Amino acid sequence: QVQVVDSGGGLVQPGGSLRLSCAASGNIFSIRAMGWYRQAPGKQRELVAQITSGDSTNYTDSVKGRFTISRGNARNTVYLQMNSLKPEDTADYLCYAHYYVDSYSLLFAWGQGTQVTVSS
């Protein structure tokens, strides 16, 4: 029904920057929220950032002031600008879309994940 495609990860030195992209497509009546989770081996999965249908944003404490989530020009597209990256930011980043297919059905869809590695 719905596909979420995330991209933009890579290898970067500490203090560097990356910009992640995410696009949701398919049978979407409306978006409630989009954002990114991250998962690192041996660590708990956490919600990094999200942006809601009302354009409010939320960030996990460890990335506040360094990461910015924003909407793109294309419909159902968001970006995550990551600055001042730290080794502890290393993880697989997965985009998600929380969406309605109609006025009743609220669903989640996930991207395939994009790896971010911060290392000198």
Side-chain angles (χ1 to χ4, degrees):
Q1 284 283 316
V2 169
Q3 184 179 37
V4 176
V5 178
D6 45 22
S7 62
L11 175 63
V12 65
Q13 291 184 323
S17 297
L18 285 172
R19 181 179 172 91
L20 306 184
S21 300
C22 179
S25 61
N27 186 27
I28 299 173
F29 177 75
S30 65
I31 294 286
R32 181 170 179 173
M34 293 182 68
W36 278 268
Y37 280 83
R38 66 185 179 187
Q39 179 71 65
K43 296 183 179 180
Q44 186 177 0
R45 176 176 293 184
E46 66 174 341
L47 178 62
V48 179
Q50 72 168 15
I51 185 165
T52 70
S53 60
D55 291 329
S56 64
T57 57
N58 291 283
Y59 303 91
T60 190
D61 286 343
S62 64
V63 309
K64 289 180 179 177
R66 300 187 297 119
F67 291 11
T68 303
I69 189 170
S70 61
R71 296 192 181 279
N73 293 328
R75 190 68 170 166
N76 302 328
T77 300
V78 296
Y79 300 99
L80 184 66
Q81 180 67 45
M82 305 186 296
N83 298 326
S84 302
L85 283 161
K86 304 175 180 179
E88 50 263 44
D89 295 318
T90 296
D92 189 29
Y93 284 71
L94 295 98
C95 183
Y96 77 92
H98 192 196
Y99 66 96
Y100 292 92
V101 295
D102 52 37
S103 62
Y104 176 78
S105 301
L106 182 61
L107 302 174
F108 284 94
W110 300 86
Q112 76 282 2
T114 184
Q115 178 67 39
V116 172
T117 302
V118 185
S119 180
S120 59

